[in-house]
Amino acid sequence: MRIIVHGVGAIGGVVAAALAHSGVAVIGIARGAQLQAIQNAGLTLRAPSGDIHAEFSCVGSPSEIAFAKDDVILLAVKTQDTHQALADLRAAGVAEQPIFCLQNGVENERIALRSFPNVHAATVMMPASYLKPGEVVTYGTPCFGMLDIGRYPGGSDTADEQLAKVLCAANIETFVSDDIMAAKYGKLLMNTVNMVDALLGFGNDFGDFPERLRAEAVAVYQAAGISFNEVKDDPRRQAFLQLTDVDGAPRLGGSTAQSLARGTGSIETDYLNGEIVLLGRLHGVPTPLNTRLMALGTEVSRKGTSAGTMTLAELKDLIDGA
């Protein structure tokens, strides 16, 4: 089995490096400085247990890959890039191969299923970062991360079992689930705080924003009849995924904070807080806090605002004074 990792950033980079280091055939798809760094010197994965270095083939586009029927594709781009990534895969001849969405939010799988019949979802619990080309970091121990995977919209098959086996062998603990979207909606509850984390900075006081965001999200889930798992307090994390420091690599925060720090020009807030806003509008539930944070996400991304440059008092004034 050959694994194609489309999007070798934080999550995709940790997964690609771990798999390649464990002996799995990996092809990465990356861009810019990250692509050049991997092609020139491979990818270093920094972890609490020590650094590993992996070298694997990496290209700039799916069109450079001769896809085989037994390839497995891991989609690890941000949601705002999913449409183009899938279009590129389709143009390169991908058809029946399993596509696993290793992404935040709940929209990617639906987008993928429009074009591909063999779509799988993944709930990714991996405290990873990518800020420097040629290097990714995970702060997870004893495992690099923990995943739940399953077929979308439900069930599971041999592709899930096979991928779980190779990921576990690469020190990424992975479980197969027949109700994967319940876990993904649970993870979305956590990700609604991403914009707060990006604006205030990792480790700072978030005030009552997490509780208020969760309350809005749970209200729209109930109105929409959506069930979810409480993944934040998953007891399996005690055994497989504790967070700790990595020397010389202080944590910046979640994926949104990292996008701001790298100045990518886009963030995924429209598909995190925006999902709650959409559900609220569909089912008549007010979501003022998620709506305001979604708007702030657009504003700070457009202005190129740096991560962690706002105080709690300033954010409260922007949200509650609006």
Side-chain angles (χ1 to χ4, degrees), residues 184-266:
K184 293 215 72 170
Y185 276 103
K187 177 70 184 301
L188 179 59
L189 289 179
M190 298 174 60
N191 290 138
T192 58
V193 186
N194 278 24
M195 194 69 240
V196 176
D197 167 71
L199 293 171
L200 300 183
F202 175 75
N204 289 324
D205 180 15
F206 292 172
D208 64 355
F209 284 118
E211 292 77 16
R212 292 168 60 190
L213 286 163
R214 176 186 170 85
E216 283 189 4
V218 170
V220 300
Y221 285 1
Q222 291 173 343
I226 293 171
S227 61
F228 63 93
N229 295 339
E230 292 284 5
V231 300
K232 182 178 181 181
D233 299 318
D234 189 332
R236 296 173 300 175
R237 293 174 66 181
Q238 184 67 32
F240 300 113
L241 189 63
Q242 295 293 302
L243 273 60
T244 190
D245 295 334
V246 174
D247 289 343
R251 291 190 70 188
L252 176 66
S255 57
T256 303
Q258 293 176 47
S259 293
L260 288 182
R262 294 202 310 275
T264 61
S266 68

Coordinates of all heavy atoms in Angstrom, one line a residue, residues 184-266:
K184 N -16.4 13.7 14.9 CA -16.0 14.9 14.2 C -16.8 16.1 14.7 O -16.3 17.2 14.8 CB -16.1 14.8 12.7 CG -15.2 13.8 12.1 CD -14.6 14.2 10.7 CE -13.7 15.3 10.8 NZ -13.0 15.6 9.5
Y185 N -18.1 15.9 14.9 CA -18.9 17.0 15.5 C -18.4 17.4 16.9 O -18.5 18.5 17.3 CB -20.4 16.7 15.5 CG -21.0 17.0 14.1 CD1 -21.3 16.0 13.2 CD2 -21.3 18.3 13.8 CE1 -21.9 16.3 12.0 CE2 -21.9 18.6 12.6 CZ -22.2 17.6 11.7 OH -22.8 17.9 10.5
G186 N -18.0 16.4 17.7 CA -17.4 16.6 19.0 C -16.1 17.4 18.9 O -15.9 18.4 19.7
K187 N -15.3 17.1 17.9 CA -14.0 17.9 17.7 C -14.3 19.3 17.2 O -13.6 20.2 17.6 CB -13.2 17.1 16.6 CG -11.9 17.9 16.3 CD -10.8 17.8 17.4 CE -9.6 18.7 17.0 NZ -8.9 18.2 15.8
L188 N -15.4 19.5 16.5 CA -15.7 20.8 16.1 C -16.1 21.7 17.3 O -15.8 22.9 17.2 CB -16.9 20.8 15.1 CG -17.5 22.1 14.6 CD1 -16.4 22.9 13.8 CD2 -18.7 21.9 13.7
L189 N -16.7 21.1 18.3 CA -16.9 21.9 19.5 C -15.6 22.5 20.0 O -15.5 23.7 20.5 CB -17.5 21.0 20.6 CG -19.0 20.6 20.4 CD1 -19.4 19.7 21.6 CD2 -19.9 21.8 20.3
M190 N -14.5 21.7 20.0 CA -13.2 22.2 20.4 C -12.7 23.3 19.5 O -12.1 24.3 19.9 CB -12.2 21.0 20.5 CG -12.6 20.0 21.5 SD -11.5 18.5 21.4 CE -9.9 19.3 21.8
N191 N -12.9 23.1 18.2 CA -12.3 24.0 17.2 C -13.0 25.3 17.1 O -12.4 26.2 16.5 CB -12.2 23.3 15.8 CG -11.2 22.2 15.7 OD1 -11.5 21.1 15.2 ND2 -10.1 22.3 16.3
T192 N -14.2 25.5 17.7 CA -14.8 26.8 17.7 C -14.0 27.8 18.4 O -14.2 29.0 18.3 CB -16.2 26.7 18.2 OG1 -16.2 26.2 19.5 CG2 -17.1 25.9 17.3
V193 N -13.1 27.3 19.3 CA -12.2 28.2 20.1 C -11.0 28.6 19.3 O -10.2 29.5 19.8 CB -11.9 27.6 21.5 CG1 -11.1 28.5 22.4 CG2 -13.1 27.1 22.2
N194 N -10.7 28.1 18.2 CA -9.5 28.3 17.4 C -9.2 29.8 17.2 O -8.1 30.3 17.3 CB -9.5 27.6 16.1 CG -9.1 26.1 16.2 OD1 -9.2 25.5 17.3 ND2 -8.6 25.6 15.1
M195 N -10.3 30.6 16.9 CA -10.1 32.0 16.6 C -9.7 32.7 17.9 O -8.9 33.7 17.8 CB -11.4 32.6 16.0 CG -11.2 33.9 15.3 SD -10.2 33.8 13.9 CE -8.8 34.9 14.3
V196 N -10.3 32.4 19.0 CA -9.9 33.0 20.3 C -8.5 32.7 20.6 O -7.7 33.6 21.0 CB -10.9 32.5 21.4 CG1 -10.4 33.0 22.8 CG2 -12.3 32.8 21.1
D197 N -8.1 31.4 20.4 CA -6.7 31.0 20.6 C -5.7 31.8 19.7 O -4.7 32.3 20.2 CB -6.6 29.5 20.3 CG -5.1 29.0 20.2 OD1 -4.5 29.0 21.2 OD2 -4.7 28.7 19.1
A198 N -6.1 32.0 18.5 CA -5.3 32.8 17.6 C -5.1 34.2 17.9 O -4.1 34.8 17.8 CB -5.8 32.7 16.1
L199 N -6.2 34.8 18.4 CA -6.2 36.3 18.7 C -5.5 36.6 20.1 O -4.8 37.5 20.2 CB -7.6 36.8 18.8 CG -8.4 36.9 17.4 CD1 -9.8 37.2 17.6 CD2 -7.7 37.8 16.5
L200 N -5.8 35.7 21.1 CA -5.3 36.0 22.4 C -3.9 35.3 22.7 O -3.1 35.8 23.5 CB -6.3 35.5 23.4 CG -7.7 36.1 23.4 CD1 -8.5 35.6 24.6 CD2 -7.6 37.7 23.4
G201 N -3.6 34.3 22.0 CA -2.3 33.6 22.2 C -2.4 32.4 23.0 O -3.2 32.3 24.0
F202 N -1.7 31.3 22.7 CA -1.8 30.0 23.3 C -1.4 30.2 24.8 O -0.4 30.8 25.2 CB -0.8 29.0 22.7 CG -0.7 27.7 23.4 CD1 -1.8 26.8 23.3 CD2 0.4 27.4 24.1 CE1 -1.7 25.6 23.9 CE2 0.5 26.2 24.8 CZ -0.6 25.3 24.7
G203 N -2.2 29.5 25.7 CA -1.9 29.5 27.1 C -2.4 30.7 27.9 O -2.3 30.7 29.1
N204 N -3.0 31.7 27.2 CA -3.5 32.9 27.9 C -5.0 32.6 28.3 O -5.6 31.6 27.9 CB -3.5 34.1 27.0 CG -2.0 34.6 26.8 OD1 -1.2 34.5 27.7 ND2 -1.7 35.1 25.6
D205 N -5.5 33.5 29.2 CA -6.8 33.4 29.7 C -7.8 33.7 28.6 O -7.8 34.8 28.0 CB -7.0 34.4 30.9 CG -8.4 34.3 31.5 OD1 -9.1 33.4 31.2 OD2 -8.7 35.3 32.2
F206 N -8.7 32.7 28.3 CA -9.7 32.9 27.3 C -11.1 33.4 27.9 O -12.1 33.5 27.2 CB -10.0 31.6 26.5 CG -8.8 31.2 25.7 CD1 -8.9 29.9 25.1 CD2 -7.7 32.0 25.5 CE1 -7.8 29.5 24.3 CE2 -6.6 31.5 24.7 CZ -6.7 30.3 24.1
G207 N -11.1 33.7 29.2 CA -12.3 34.1 29.8 C -13.4 33.1 29.7 O -13.2 31.9 29.8
D208 N -14.7 33.6 29.4 CA -15.8 32.7 29.3 C -16.1 32.3 27.9 O -17.1 31.7 27.6 CB -17.0 33.2 30.0 CG -17.5 34.5 29.4 OD1 -16.9 35.1 28.5 OD2 -18.6 35.0 29.8
F209 N -15.2 32.7 26.9 CA -15.5 32.5 25.5 C -15.7 31.0 25.2 O -16.6 30.6 24.5 CB -14.4 33.1 24.6 CG -14.6 34.6 24.5 CD1 -13.6 35.4 24.9 CD2 -15.7 35.1 23.9 CE1 -13.7 36.8 24.8 CE2 -15.9 36.5 23.8 CZ -14.8 37.3 24.2
P210 N -14.8 30.1 25.7 CA -15.0 28.7 25.4 C -16.4 28.1 25.8 O -17.0 27.4 25.0 CB -13.9 28.0 26.2 CG -12.8 29.0 26.3 CD -13.6 30.3 26.5
E211 N -16.9 28.5 27.0 CA -18.2 28.0 27.4 C -19.3 28.6 26.6 O -20.3 27.9 26.3 CB -18.4 28.4 28.9 CG -17.5 27.6 29.9 CD -16.0 28.2 29.9 OE1 -15.8 29.3 29.4 OE2 -15.2 27.5 30.4
R212 N -19.2 29.9 26.2 CA -20.2 30.5 25.4 C -20.3 29.9 24.0 O -21.4 29.7 23.4 CB -20.0 32.0 25.4 CG -20.2 32.7 26.7 CD -19.7 34.1 26.7 NE -20.4 35.0 25.7 CZ -20.0 36.2 25.4 NH1 -18.9 36.7 25.9 NH2 -20.6 36.9 24.5
L213 N -19.1 29.7 23.4 CA -19.1 29.1 22.1 C -19.6 27.7 22.1 O -20.4 27.3 21.2 CB -17.6 29.1 21.6 CG -17.0 30.4 21.2 CD1 -15.5 30.4 21.1 CD2 -17.6 30.9 19.8
R214 N -19.3 26.9 23.1 CA -19.8 25.6 23.2 C -21.3 25.6 23.4 O -22.1 24.8 22.7 CB -19.2 24.9 24.4 CG -19.8 23.5 24.7 CD -19.3 22.9 25.9 NE -20.0 21.6 26.2 CZ -19.7 20.4 25.7 NH1 -18.7 20.3 24.9 NH2 -20.5 19.4 26.0
A215 N -21.9 26.5 24.2 CA -23.3 26.6 24.4 C -24.0 26.9 23.1 O -25.1 26.3 22.8 CB -23.6 27.7 25.4
E216 N -23.5 27.8 22.3 CA -24.1 28.1 21.0 C -24.1 26.9 20.1 O -25.1 26.5 19.5 CB -23.4 29.2 20.3 CG -23.8 30.6 20.8 CD -23.2 31.7 20.0 OE1 -22.6 31.5 18.9 OE2 -23.4 32.9 20.4
A217 N -23.0 26.2 20.1 CA -22.8 25.0 19.2 C -23.7 23.9 19.6 O -24.4 23.3 18.8 CB -21.4 24.5 19.2
V218 N -23.8 23.6 20.9 CA -24.7 22.5 21.4 C -26.1 22.8 21.1 O -26.9 22.0 20.7 CB -24.4 22.3 22.9 CG1 -25.5 21.3 23.5 CG2 -23.0 21.7 23.1
A219 N -26.5 24.1 21.2 CA -27.9 24.5 20.9 C -28.2 24.2 19.5 O -29.3 23.7 19.2 CB -28.1 26.0 21.3
V220 N -27.3 24.5 18.5 CA -27.6 24.3 17.1 C -27.6 22.8 16.8 O -28.4 22.3 16.0 CB -26.7 25.1 16.2 CG1 -26.9 26.6 16.4 CG2 -25.3 24.6 16.3
Y221 N -26.7 22.0 17.5 CA -26.7 20.6 17.3 C -28.1 20.0 17.7 O -28.6 19.1 17.0 CB -25.6 19.9 18.1 CG -24.2 20.1 17.6 CD1 -23.9 20.8 16.5 CD2 -23.1 19.5 18.3 CE1 -22.6 20.9 16.0 CE2 -21.8 19.6 17.9 CZ -21.6 20.4 16.8 OH -20.2 20.5 16.4
Q222 N -28.6 20.4 18.8 CA -29.8 19.9 19.3 C -31.0 20.3 18.4 O -31.8 19.4 18.1 CB -30.1 20.5 20.7 CG -29.2 19.9 21.8 CD -29.3 20.6 23.1 OE1 -29.9 21.7 23.2 NE2 -28.8 20.0 24.2
A223 N -31.0 21.5 17.9 CA -32.0 21.9 16.9 C -31.9 21.1 15.6 O -32.9 20.8 15.0 CB -31.9 23.4 16.6
A224 N -30.7 20.8 15.2 CA -30.5 20.1 13.9 C -30.6 18.6 14.1 O -30.5 17.8 13.1 CB -29.1 20.4 13.4
G225 N -30.7 18.1 15.3 CA -30.7 16.6 15.6 C -29.4 16.0 15.4 O -29.3 14.8 15.0
I226 N -28.3 16.7 15.6 CA -27.0 16.1 15.4 C -26.4 15.6 16.8 O -26.4 16.3 17.8 CB -26.0 17.2 14.9 CG1 -26.4 17.7 13.5 CG2 -24.6 16.8 14.9 CD1 -25.7 18.9 13.0
S227 N -26.0 14.3 16.7 CA -25.4 13.7 17.9 C -23.8 13.9 17.8 O -23.3 14.0 16.8 CB -25.7 12.3 18.0 OG -25.2 11.6 16.9
F228 N -23.2 14.0 19.0 CA -21.8 14.2 19.0 C -21.2 13.5 20.2 O -21.8 13.2 21.2 CB -21.4 15.7 19.1 CG -21.9 16.4 20.3 CD1 -21.1 16.5 21.4 CD2 -23.2 16.9 20.4 CE1 -21.5 17.1 22.6 CE2 -23.7 17.5 21.5 CZ -22.8 17.7 22.6
N229 N -19.9 13.1 20.1 CA -19.1 12.5 21.1 C -18.3 13.6 21.9 O -17.8 14.5 21.2 CB -18.2 11.4 20.6 CG -18.9 10.3 20.0 OD1 -20.1 10.1 20.3 ND2 -18.2 9.5 19.1
E230 N -18.1 13.4 23.1 CA -17.3 14.3 23.9 C -15.8 14.0 23.8 O -15.2 13.3 24.6 CB -17.7 14.3 25.4 CG -19.1 14.9 25.7 CD -19.1 16.4 25.6 OE1 -18.0 17.0 25.3 OE2 -20.1 17.0 25.9
V231 N -15.2 14.4 22.7 CA -13.8 14.0 22.4 C -12.8 14.7 23.2 O -11.7 14.2 23.4 CB -13.5 14.2 20.9 CG1 -14.4 13.3 20.0 CG2 -13.6 15.6 20.5
K232 N -13.1 15.9 23.8 CA -12.2 16.7 24.6 C -11.7 15.9 25.8 O -10.5 16.0 26.1 CB -12.8 18.0 25.0 CG -11.9 18.9 25.8 CD -12.5 20.2 26.1 CE -11.5 21.1 26.9 NZ -12.1 22.4 27.2
D233 N -12.6 15.2 26.4 CA -12.3 14.4 27.6 C -12.2 12.9 27.4 O -12.5 12.1 28.2 CB -13.3 14.8 28.7 CG -13.3 16.2 29.1 OD1 -12.2 16.8 29.2 OD2 -14.4 16.8 29.3
D234 N -11.9 12.6 26.1 CA -11.8 11.1 25.8 C -10.8 10.4 26.7 O -9.6 10.8 26.8 CB -11.3 11.1 24.3 CG -11.4 9.7 23.7 OD1 -11.2 8.7 24.5 OD2 -11.5 9.5 22.5
P235 N -11.2 9.4 27.4 CA -10.3 8.7 28.4 C -9.1 8.0 27.7 O -8.1 7.8 28.3 CB -11.2 7.7 29.1 CG -12.4 7.5 28.1 CD -12.6 8.8 27.5
R236 N -9.2 7.8 26.4 CA -8.1 7.1 25.7 C -6.9 8.0 25.6 O -5.7 7.6 25.5 CB -8.5 6.7 24.3 CG -9.6 5.7 24.2 CD -10.1 5.5 22.8 NE -10.6 6.7 22.2 CZ -11.0 6.8 20.9 NH1 -10.9 5.8 20.1 NH2 -11.5 8.0 20.5
R237 N -7.1 9.4 25.7 CA -6.0 10.3 25.6 C -5.0 10.1 26.8 O -3.8 10.4 26.7 CB -6.5 11.7 25.6 CG -7.3 12.0 24.3 CD -7.9 13.4 24.3 NE -6.9 14.4 24.3 CZ -7.2 15.7 24.3 NH1 -8.5 16.1 24.3 NH2 -6.2 16.6 24.3
Q238 N -5.5 9.7 27.9 CA -4.7 9.5 29.1 C -3.6 8.4 28.8 O -2.4 8.6 29.2 CB -5.5 9.0 30.3 CG -4.7 8.8 31.6 CD -4.2 10.1 32.2 OE1 -4.8 11.2 32.0 NE2 -3.1 10.1 32.8
A239 N -3.9 7.4 28.0 CA -3.0 6.4 27.7 C -2.1 6.7 26.5 O -0.9 6.3 26.5 CB -3.7 5.1 27.5
F240 N -2.7 7.4 25.5 CA -2.0 7.5 24.2 C -1.5 8.9 23.9 O -0.7 9.1 23.0 CB -2.9 7.0 23.1 CG -3.3 5.6 23.2 CD1 -4.6 5.3 23.5 CD2 -2.4 4.6 23.1 CE1 -5.0 3.9 23.6 CE2 -2.7 3.2 23.2 CZ -4.1 2.9 23.5
L241 N -2.1 10.0 24.5 CA -1.8 11.3 24.0 C -1.8 12.3 25.1 O -2.8 13.0 25.4 CB -2.8 11.7 22.9 CG -2.5 13.0 22.2 CD1 -1.2 12.9 21.4 CD2 -3.7 13.4 21.3
Q242 N -0.6 12.4 25.8 CA -0.4 13.5 26.7 C 0.4 14.6 26.1 O 1.2 14.3 25.2 CB 0.4 12.9 27.9 CG -0.4 11.9 28.7 CD -1.6 12.5 29.5 OE1 -1.4 13.4 30.2 NE2 -2.7 12.0 29.2
L243 N 0.2 15.8 26.4 CA 0.9 17.0 25.9 C 2.0 17.4 26.7 O 1.9 17.5 28.0 CB -0.1 18.2 25.7 CG -0.9 18.2 24.4 CD1 -1.8 17.0 24.3 CD2 -1.7 19.5 24.4
T244 N 3.2 17.6 26.1 CA 4.3 18.0 26.8 C 5.2 18.9 25.9 O 4.9 19.1 24.7 CB 5.2 16.8 27.3 OG1 6.2 17.3 28.2 CG2 5.8 16.1 26.2
D245 N 6.3 19.5 26.5 CA 7.1 20.4 25.7 C 8.1 19.7 24.8 O 8.5 18.6 25.1 CB 7.8 21.4 26.7 CG 6.9 22.3 27.5 OD1 5.8 22.5 27.0 OD2 7.3 22.7 28.6
V246 N 8.5 20.4 23.8 CA 9.6 20.0 22.9 C 10.6 21.1 23.0 O 10.4 22.3 22.7 CB 9.1 19.8 21.5 CG1 10.3 19.5 20.6 CG2 8.1 18.7 21.4
D247 N 11.9 20.8 23.4 CA 12.9 21.7 23.6 C 13.1 22.6 22.3 O 13.3 22.0 21.2 CB 14.2 21.0 23.9 CG 14.2 20.5 25.3 OD1 13.3 20.9 26.1 OD2 15.1 19.6 25.6
G248 N 13.1 23.9 22.5 CA 13.4 24.8 21.4 C 12.3 25.0 20.4 O 12.4 25.6 19.4
A249 N 11.1 24.4 20.8 CA 9.9 24.6 19.9 C 8.7 24.9 20.7 O 7.8 24.1 20.9 CB 9.7 23.3 19.1
P250 N 8.6 26.1 21.2 CA 7.4 26.5 22.1 C 6.2 26.4 21.2 O 6.1 26.7 20.0 CB 7.8 27.9 22.5 CG 8.7 28.4 21.5 CD 9.5 27.2 21.1
R251 N 5.1 26.0 21.9 CA 3.8 25.9 21.2 C 3.2 27.3 20.9 O 3.2 28.2 21.7 CB 2.8 25.2 22.0 CG 3.1 23.7 22.1 CD 1.9 22.9 22.8 NE 0.8 22.9 21.9 CZ -0.4 22.4 22.2 NH1 -0.6 22.0 23.4 NH2 -1.4 22.4 21.3
L252 N 2.8 27.5 19.7 CA 2.2 28.8 19.3 C 0.7 28.7 19.4 O 0.0 29.7 19.8 CB 2.5 29.1 17.8 CG 1.8 30.3 17.2 CD1 2.4 31.6 17.9 CD2 2.0 30.4 15.7
G253 N 0.1 27.6 19.2 CA -1.4 27.4 19.3 C -1.9 26.5 18.2 O -1.1 25.8 17.6
G254 N -3.2 26.6 18.0 CA -3.8 25.7 17.0 C -3.6 26.1 15.6 O -2.8 27.0 15.2
S255 N -4.3 25.4 14.7 CA -4.1 25.6 13.3 C -4.4 27.0 12.8 O -3.7 27.5 11.9 CB -5.0 24.6 12.5 OG -6.4 24.8 12.8
T256 N -5.4 27.7 13.4 CA -5.7 29.1 13.0 C -4.5 30.0 13.3 O -4.1 30.9 12.6 CB -7.0 29.5 13.6 OG1 -8.0 28.6 13.2 CG2 -7.4 30.9 13.1
A257 N -4.0 29.9 14.6 CA -2.9 30.7 15.0 C -1.7 30.5 14.1 O -1.0 31.4 13.7 CB -2.5 30.4 16.4
Q258 N -1.5 29.2 13.7 CA -0.3 29.0 12.8 C -0.5 29.6 11.5 O 0.5 30.1 10.9 CB -0.1 27.4 12.7 CG 0.3 26.8 14.1 CD 0.4 25.3 14.0 OE1 1.0 24.8 13.0 NE2 -0.1 24.6 14.9
S259 N -1.7 29.6 10.9 CA -2.0 30.2 9.6 C -1.7 31.7 9.7 O -1.1 32.3 8.8 CB -3.4 29.9 9.2 OG -3.6 28.6 8.9
L260 N -2.1 32.3 10.8 CA -1.8 33.8 11.0 C -0.3 34.0 11.1 O 0.2 34.9 10.5 CB -2.5 34.3 12.2 CG -4.1 34.5 12.1 CD1 -4.6 35.1 13.4 CD2 -4.5 35.3 11.0
A261 N 0.4 33.1 11.8 CA 1.8 33.3 12.0 C 2.6 33.2 10.7 O 3.6 33.9 10.5 CB 2.3 32.3 13.1
R262 N 2.1 32.3 9.9 CA 2.8 32.1 8.6 C 2.4 33.1 7.5 O 3.0 33.1 6.4 CB 2.6 30.6 8.1 CG 3.2 29.5 8.9 CD 3.4 28.2 8.1 NE 2.2 27.8 7.4 CZ 1.2 27.1 7.9 NH1 1.3 26.7 9.2 NH2 0.2 26.8 7.2
G263 N 1.3 33.8 7.8 CA 0.8 34.8 6.9 C 0.3 34.2 5.6 O 0.6 34.7 4.5
T264 N -0.4 33.1 5.7 CA -0.9 32.4 4.5 C -2.0 33.2 3.8 O -2.2 32.9 2.6 CB -1.5 31.0 5.0 OG1 -2.6 31.2 5.9 CG2 -0.5 30.2 5.7
G265 N -2.6 34.1 4.4 CA -3.7 34.9 3.7 C -5.0 34.3 3.8 O -6.0 34.9 3.3
S266 N -5.2 33.1 4.4 CA -6.5 32.5 4.6 C -6.5 31.7 5.8 O -5.4 31.1 6.2 CB -6.9 31.7 3.3 OG -6.0 30.5 3.2

